[in-house]
């Protein structure tokens, strides 16, 4: 399948094989609690593809058994993704630094994206040959393709996509584990409180209130501090929501100071696609476009075309380089991400894509060189307009709604779903919001605010 994959720098993919022993030493089981067969991983051809099909196998009318090819590819993807799902947690908690590089997971993700392209083309072939139809269904956390066998065609039970079953099952296991840990911690606190009260200590409700402020959430680690000033806002557009399967096709970023005035000698940067967008305090604007593999272009992506206006069918020519095969673009972006806190709306999305696409990002983040701030928890915690309602049980915290409430986007306008434009309205909204919070002594200047820049940063090595 290499003819459809792109033009990878083969050297780094081959070197990734040399990292397997380091990972095998600390990572025994996958996300489904199954022992990892690292010898199987060693057999994977990360340069030419890990799937079983050839280019011609994806053509309608090929003599090969499309059903069998699809079944085998799905088994490989399930097995590979069960390993990849654990890699970031293992890497970030490797305090002894037995694994110095995240290169192997990036290489496996690189191969998995192309395997997913192959799976899509094999499904397309089956549709064209009248073997099955494909419909998409939302199942809890993910949307999956569901095959329906055509009349007289073989059953398709063994080639159904198991993503929902796997993802939702893992989420339930994590939930149960958190509940068990929480129950254990509560028992320990209760035991400690009994001793404290017996010795004249504080009452239980006083300790509990101090330790668990009302409304706290895991996303709060991304909130800004009252000392924040210069930031880089960034937004990416992708072919989907899964960094193990989807490609980065558009990156937009710009800079803004939350307190200090705009530097007089700051570069003006790239213009916005909409003339109604005014740079204002922003500077250093940039827009970067990237391509997809030939297989991804052949499959097409109407959802993304309708959302962003980007047609991936036009993004497989030599004019468009793939981001995950462009080291210079990755290093340029990493350098900018390290220079000051970067801001994103639902920042974990960008973070996960950077982990699996940008050489050096995981290592730099683990070392504490990258600070991430998220405007979504700002909306949740500090914007009364995002209060839960019948229409939005968890609050309306989309970028478009947040930007409109903070006067960064007119009520009759919509989010553009392009990197630079979305990064701009996000930073304008953030600055307006922080200014109002400062005047009201709320947010970072309130009782639960923090000093310094705030944001999420890895703590680095623990001794």
């Amino acid at each position: 399948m290499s003819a459809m994959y792109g033009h990878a720098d083969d050297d780094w993919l081959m070197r990734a094989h040399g990292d397997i022993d380091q990972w095998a030493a600390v990572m025994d089981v996958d996300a489904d609690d199954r022992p990892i067969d690292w010898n199987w991983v060693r057999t994977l051809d990360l340069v030419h593809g890990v799937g079983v099909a050839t280019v011609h196998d994806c053509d309608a009318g090929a003599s090969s058994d499309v059903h069998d090819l699809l079944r085998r590819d799905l088994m490989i993807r399930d097995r590979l993704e069960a390993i990849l799902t654990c890699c970031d947690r293992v890497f970030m908690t490797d305090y002894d630094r037995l694994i110095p590089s995240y290169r192997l997971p990036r290489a496996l993700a690189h191969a998995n994206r192309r395997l997913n392209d192959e799976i899509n083309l094999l499904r397309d072939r089956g549709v064209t040959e009248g073997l099955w139809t494909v419909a998409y269904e939302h199942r809890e956390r993910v949307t999956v393709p569901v095959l329906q066998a055509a009349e007289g065609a073989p059953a398709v039970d063994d080639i159904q996509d198991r993503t929902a079953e796997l993802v939702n099952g893992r989420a339930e296991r994590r939930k149960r584990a958190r509940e068990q840990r929480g129950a254990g911690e509560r028992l320990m606190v209760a035991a400690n409180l009994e001793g404290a009260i017996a010795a004249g200590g504080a009452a239980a409700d006083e300790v509990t209130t101090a330790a668990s402020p009302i409304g706290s959430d895991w996303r709060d680690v991304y909130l800004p501090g009252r000392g924040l000033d210069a930031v880089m806002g960034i937004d990416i557009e992708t072919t989907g929501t899964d960094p193990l399967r989807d490609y980065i096709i558009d990156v937009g970023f710009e800079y803004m100071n939350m307190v200090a005035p705009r530097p007089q000698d700051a570069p003006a940067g790239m213009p916005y696609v909409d003339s109604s967008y005014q740079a204002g305090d922003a500077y250093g604007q940039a827009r970067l476009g990237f391509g997809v593999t030939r297989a991804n272009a052949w499959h097409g992506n109407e959802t993304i075309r309708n959302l962003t206006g980007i047609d991936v069918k036009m993004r497989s020519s030599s004019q468009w380089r793939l981001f995950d095969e462009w080291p210079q673009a990755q290093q340029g972006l990493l350098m900018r991400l390290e220079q000051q806190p970067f801001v994103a709306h639902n920042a974990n999305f960008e973070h996960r894509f950077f982990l699996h696409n940008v050489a050096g990002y995981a290592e730099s983040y683990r070392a504490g060189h990258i600070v991430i701030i998220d405007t979504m928890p700002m909306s949740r915690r500090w914007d009364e307009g995002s209060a839960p309602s019948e229409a939005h049980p968890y609050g309306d915290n989309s970028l478009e709604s947040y930007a409109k409430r903070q006067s960064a986007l007119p009520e009759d306008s919509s989010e553009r779903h392009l990197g630079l434009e979305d990064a701009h309205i996000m930073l304008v909204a953030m600055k307006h919001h922080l200014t109002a919070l400062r005047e009201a002594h709320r947010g970072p200047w309130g009782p639960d605010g923090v000093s310094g820049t705030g944001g999420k940063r890895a703590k680095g090595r623990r001794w």
Side-chain angles (χ1 to χ4, degrees), residues 174-239:
R174 290 194 300 269
K175 180 181 178 181
R176 288 195 297 270
R178 286 195 302 269
E179 291 172 348
Q180 291 172 355
R181 287 196 302 270
E185 291 169 358
R186 286 191 293 273
L187 288 173
M188 291 181 63
V189 169
N192 292 335
L193 285 175
E194 287 179 3
I197 294 173
D205 57 348
E206 295 174 341
V207 175
T208 302
T209 300
S212 302
I214 295 174
S216 63
D217 185 271
W218 66 269
R219 301 174 187 85
D220 291 350
V221 296
Y222 291 100
L223 290 168
R226 51 183 169 269
L228 183 69
D229 190 13
V231 298
M232 183 182 83
I234 190 166
D235 182 84
I236 64 174
E237 301 301 328
T238 61
T239 58

Side-chain angles (χ1 to χ4, degrees), residues 114-439:
R114 287 142 182 83
L115 173 63
N116 192 64
D117 293 342
E118 184 174 305
I119 288 170
N120 285 331
L121 290 185
L122 290 173
R123 284 201 191 100
D124 292 346
R125 176 185 156 186
V127 172
T128 302
E129 293 179 354
L131 297 175
W132 55 67
T133 59
V134 179
Y136 289 84
E137 295 182 6
H138 187 72
R139 297 181 176 178
E140 295 186 60
R141 296 166 180 83
V142 294
T143 299
V144 295
V146 178
L147 274 58
Q148 178 69 44
E151 185 176 355
V156 293
D157 293 347
D158 61 337
I159 53 173
Q160 293 290 4
D161 193 302
R162 298 179 61 235
T163 302
E165 173 189 339
L166 295 170
V167 170
N168 294 326
R170 292 164 190 162
E172 287 302 314
R173 288 193 294 274
R174 290 194 300 269
K175 180 181 178 181
R176 288 195 297 270
R178 286 195 302 269
E179 291 172 348
Q180 291 172 355
R181 287 196 302 270
E185 291 169 358
R186 286 191 293 273
L187 288 173
M188 291 181 63
V189 169
N192 292 335
L193 285 175
E194 287 179 3
I197 294 173
D205 57 348
E206 295 174 341
V207 175
T208 302
T209 300
S212 302
I214 295 174
S216 63
D217 185 271
W218 66 269
R219 301 174 187 85
D220 291 350
V221 296
Y222 291 100
L223 290 168
R226 51 183 169 269
L228 183 69
D229 190 13
V231 298
M232 183 182 83
I234 190 166
D235 182 84
I236 64 174
E237 301 301 328
T238 61
T239 58
T241 60
D242 191 339
L244 305 182
R245 299 182 184 181
D246 297 308
Y247 299 89
I248 295 175
I249 53 176
D250 183 72
V251 176
F253 60 84
E254 66 179 27
Y255 299 84
M256 188 178 289
N257 298 340
M258 297 293 108
V259 178
R262 180 185 185 279
Q264 292 185 352
D265 59 347
M270 185 169 290
Y272 309 105
V273 297
D274 191 328
S275 60
S276 67
Y277 282 53
Q278 300 298 315
D281 295 330
Y283 56 95
Q285 296 90 343
R287 185 197 315 276
L288 306 172
F290 302 101
V292 297
T293 62
R294 294 178 185 175
N296 192 278
W298 290 345
H299 176 65
N301 196 321
E302 285 299 300
T303 299
I304 294 303
R305 188 180 70 84
N306 293 333
L307 182 67
T308 68
I310 298 173
D311 187 354
V312 299
K313 291 182 178 181
M314 309 299 293
R315 292 264 176 136
S316 67
S317 67
S318 58
Q319 175 186 353
W320 299 99
R321 293 192 64 176
L322 280 82
F323 182 68
D324 65 0
E325 296 181 356
W326 195 349
Q328 293 81 5
Q330 296 168 30
Q331 291 309 300
L333 180 59
L334 177 61
M335 178 184 68
R336 289 170 172 81
L337 294 172
E338 293 175 326
Q339 289 176 343
Q340 69 291 296
F342 82 80
V343 183
H345 195 79
N346 188 20
N348 194 46
F349 181 83
E350 276 76 10
H351 175 66
R352 291 171 61 236
F353 269 90
F354 294 158
L355 280 174
H356 295 97
N357 282 273
V358 179
Y361 176 87
E363 296 85 345
S364 183
Y365 176 78
R366 185 175 70 170
H369 301 320
I370 292 175
V371 179
I372 311 173
I373 291 171
D374 194 340
T375 50
M376 183 176 283
M378 288 182 62
S379 173
R380 291 182 61 258
R381 289 293 303 274
W382 298 332
D383 186 341
E384 293 82 356
S386 71
S389 63
E390 184 176 348
H392 300 280
Y394 301 101
D396 190 358
N397 298 299
S398 68
L399 175 58
E400 179 175 314
S401 297
Y402 176 63
K404 287 181 177 179
R405 290 196 300 268
Q406 299 302 327
S407 303
L409 187 67
E411 285 295 330
D412 59 352
S413 297
S414 300
E415 179 184 349
R416 293 304 304 264
H417 294 289
L418 289 172
L420 178 57
E421 284 67 29
D422 290 355
H424 180 65
I425 63 171
M426 174 187 65
L427 287 187
V428 173
M430 180 181 180
K431 185 163 187 174
H432 289 175
H433 196 187
L434 286 177
T435 299
L437 291 170
R438 186 186 302 111
E439 294 173 351

Side-chain angles (χ1 to χ4, degrees), residues 37-115:
D37 184 353
W38 288 104
N39 287 325
W40 172 76
V41 178
R42 288 185 177 90
T43 68
L44 298 176
D45 186 346
L46 302 181
V47 175
H48 300 102
V50 299
V52 298
T54 68
V55 175
H56 302 298
D57 287 325
C58 296
D59 292 335
S63 60
S64 54
D65 185 341
V66 65
H67 188 118
D68 183 61
L69 293 171
L70 180 55
R71 179 185 60 82
R72 292 162 64 191
D73 269 1
L74 287 169
M75 291 175 62
I76 294 170
R77 191 182 68 179
D78 289 347
R79 195 172 179 181
L80 193 54
E81 290 183 353
I83 296 173
L84 276 165
T85 299
C86 293
C87 287
D88 61 336
R89 174 185 56 79
V90 170
F91 186 75
M92 295 305 166
T93 56
D94 174 28
Y95 303 121
D96 293 327
R97 298 301 189 260
L98 298 175
I99 309 172
S101 170
Y102 205 70
R103 176 172 52 195
L104 178 62
R106 284 195 302 108
L108 294 177
H110 177 280
N112 195 70
R113 281 188 282 272
R114 287 142 182 83
L115 173 63

